[in-house]
Short mmCIF file of all heavy atoms in Angstrom, two decimals:
data_model
loop_
_atom_site.label_atom_id
_atom_site.label_comp_id
_atom_site.label_asym_id
_atom_site.label_seq_id
_atom_site.Cartn_x
_atom_site.Cartn_y
_atom_site.Cartn_z
N PRO A 552 23.44 -146.23 34.59
CA PRO A 552 23.21 -147.38 35.45
C PRO A 552 24.47 -147.75 36.22
O PRO A 552 25.58 -147.52 35.76
CB PRO A 552 22.83 -148.50 34.48
CG PRO A 552 23.21 -148.03 33.13
CD PRO A 552 23.37 -146.54 33.18
N LYS A 553 24.28 -148.29 37.41
CA LYS A 553 25.42 -148.74 38.21
C LYS A 553 25.90 -150.08 37.69
O LYS A 553 25.14 -150.88 37.20
CB LYS A 553 25.01 -148.88 39.67
CG LYS A 553 24.72 -147.56 40.32
CD LYS A 553 24.47 -147.74 41.79
CE LYS A 553 24.22 -146.41 42.41
NZ LYS A 553 25.17 -146.06 43.42
N THR A 554 27.18 -150.30 37.82
CA THR A 554 27.74 -151.59 37.42
C THR A 554 27.73 -152.51 38.63
O THR A 554 27.57 -152.07 39.77
CB THR A 554 29.18 -151.45 36.91
OG1 THR A 554 30.01 -151.04 38.00
CG2 THR A 554 29.27 -150.45 35.77
N CYS A 555 27.93 -153.80 38.38
CA CYS A 555 27.98 -154.77 39.48
C CYS A 555 29.08 -154.41 40.46
O CYS A 555 28.97 -154.65 41.64
CB CYS A 555 28.21 -156.17 38.94
SG CYS A 555 26.84 -156.79 37.99
N ARG A 556 30.14 -153.83 39.96
CA ARG A 556 31.24 -153.47 40.84
C ARG A 556 30.89 -152.28 41.73
O ARG A 556 31.52 -152.06 42.76
CB ARG A 556 32.48 -153.14 40.02
CG ARG A 556 33.00 -154.33 39.24
CD ARG A 556 34.17 -153.90 38.36
NE ARG A 556 34.45 -154.88 37.35
CZ ARG A 556 35.36 -155.83 37.47
NH1 ARG A 556 36.05 -155.92 38.58
NH2 ARG A 556 35.57 -156.68 36.51
N GLU A 557 29.89 -151.49 41.37
CA GLU A 557 29.50 -150.32 42.14
C GLU A 557 28.42 -150.64 43.17
O GLU A 557 28.14 -149.84 44.03
CB GLU A 557 28.98 -149.22 41.21
CG GLU A 557 30.04 -148.69 40.26
CD GLU A 557 29.47 -147.73 39.24
OE1 GLU A 557 28.28 -147.43 39.29
OE2 GLU A 557 30.22 -147.29 38.37
N VAL A 558 27.81 -151.80 43.07
CA VAL A 558 26.72 -152.17 43.97
C VAL A 558 27.18 -153.33 44.84
O VAL A 558 27.65 -154.34 44.32
CB VAL A 558 25.47 -152.60 43.16
CG1 VAL A 558 24.35 -153.01 44.08
CG2 VAL A 558 25.03 -151.49 42.23
N PRO A 559 27.06 -153.21 46.17
CA PRO A 559 27.47 -154.33 47.03
C PRO A 559 26.53 -155.52 46.85
O PRO A 559 25.32 -155.39 47.02
CB PRO A 559 27.39 -153.76 48.44
CG PRO A 559 26.47 -152.60 48.35
CD PRO A 559 26.57 -152.09 46.93
N LEU A 560 27.07 -156.66 46.49
CA LEU A 560 26.26 -157.85 46.25
C LEU A 560 26.80 -159.00 47.10
O LEU A 560 27.30 -159.99 46.58
CB LEU A 560 26.30 -158.23 44.76
CG LEU A 560 25.75 -157.19 43.80
CD1 LEU A 560 26.04 -157.59 42.37
CD2 LEU A 560 24.25 -157.04 44.01
N ARG A 561 26.69 -158.89 48.38
CA ARG A 561 27.20 -159.92 49.28
C ARG A 561 26.44 -161.22 49.08
O ARG A 561 25.22 -161.24 49.08
CB ARG A 561 27.08 -159.46 50.72
CG ARG A 561 27.97 -158.29 51.00
CD ARG A 561 27.92 -157.89 52.46
NE ARG A 561 28.37 -156.53 52.56
CZ ARG A 561 27.75 -155.58 53.21
NH1 ARG A 561 26.65 -155.85 53.87
NH2 ARG A 561 28.23 -154.37 53.23
N GLY A 562 27.16 -162.30 48.94
CA GLY A 562 26.55 -163.61 48.86
C GLY A 562 25.95 -163.97 47.51
O GLY A 562 25.28 -164.98 47.40
N ILE A 563 26.16 -163.14 46.50
CA ILE A 563 25.63 -163.43 45.17
C ILE A 563 26.80 -163.63 44.22
O ILE A 563 27.64 -162.75 44.06
CB ILE A 563 24.73 -162.28 44.66
CG1 ILE A 563 23.54 -162.08 45.59
CG2 ILE A 563 24.25 -162.57 43.24
CD1 ILE A 563 22.67 -160.91 45.23
N THR A 564 26.85 -164.80 43.60
CA THR A 564 27.93 -165.07 42.65
C THR A 564 27.61 -164.40 41.32
O THR A 564 26.45 -164.10 41.02
CB THR A 564 28.10 -166.58 42.43
OG1 THR A 564 26.92 -167.09 41.81
CG2 THR A 564 28.37 -167.30 43.74
N ALA A 565 28.65 -164.19 40.52
CA ALA A 565 28.46 -163.60 39.20
C ALA A 565 27.55 -164.49 38.35
O ALA A 565 26.70 -164.00 37.61
CB ALA A 565 29.80 -163.39 38.52
N LYS A 566 27.71 -165.80 38.48
CA LYS A 566 26.89 -166.74 37.71
C LYS A 566 25.42 -166.62 38.09
O LYS A 566 24.54 -166.57 37.23
CB LYS A 566 27.38 -168.17 37.94
CG LYS A 566 26.58 -169.20 37.18
CD LYS A 566 27.10 -170.60 37.44
CE LYS A 566 26.24 -171.61 36.70
NZ LYS A 566 26.70 -172.98 36.95
N SER A 567 25.15 -166.55 39.39
CA SER A 567 23.77 -166.43 39.86
C SER A 567 23.14 -165.12 39.40
O SER A 567 21.99 -165.08 38.96
CB SER A 567 23.74 -166.52 41.39
OG SER A 567 22.45 -166.32 41.88
N LEU A 568 23.91 -164.03 39.48
CA LEU A 568 23.41 -162.73 39.04
C LEU A 568 23.11 -162.75 37.55
O LEU A 568 22.06 -162.28 37.11
CB LEU A 568 24.44 -161.64 39.36
CG LEU A 568 24.08 -160.24 38.92
CD1 LEU A 568 22.81 -159.75 39.60
CD2 LEU A 568 25.23 -159.29 39.20
N THR A 569 24.01 -163.33 36.77
CA THR A 569 23.81 -163.41 35.32
C THR A 569 22.55 -164.21 34.99
O THR A 569 21.74 -163.80 34.15
CB THR A 569 25.04 -164.05 34.64
OG1 THR A 569 26.16 -163.20 34.88
CG2 THR A 569 24.84 -164.20 33.15
N GLN A 570 22.36 -165.34 35.66
CA GLN A 570 21.18 -166.17 35.41
C GLN A 570 19.90 -165.40 35.75
O GLN A 570 18.92 -165.45 35.01
CB GLN A 570 21.25 -167.46 36.20
CG GLN A 570 22.29 -168.42 35.69
CD GLN A 570 22.46 -169.63 36.60
OE1 GLN A 570 22.14 -169.61 37.79
NE2 GLN A 570 23.00 -170.70 36.03
#
Side-chain angles (χ1 to χ4, degrees):
K553 292 186 179 241
T554 66
C555 293
R556 296 175 196 265
E557 295 173 4
V558 179
L560 299 171
R561 294 184 201 131
I563 299 175
T564 65
K566 180 180 178 181
S567 176
L568 178 61
T569 298
Q570 289 173 338

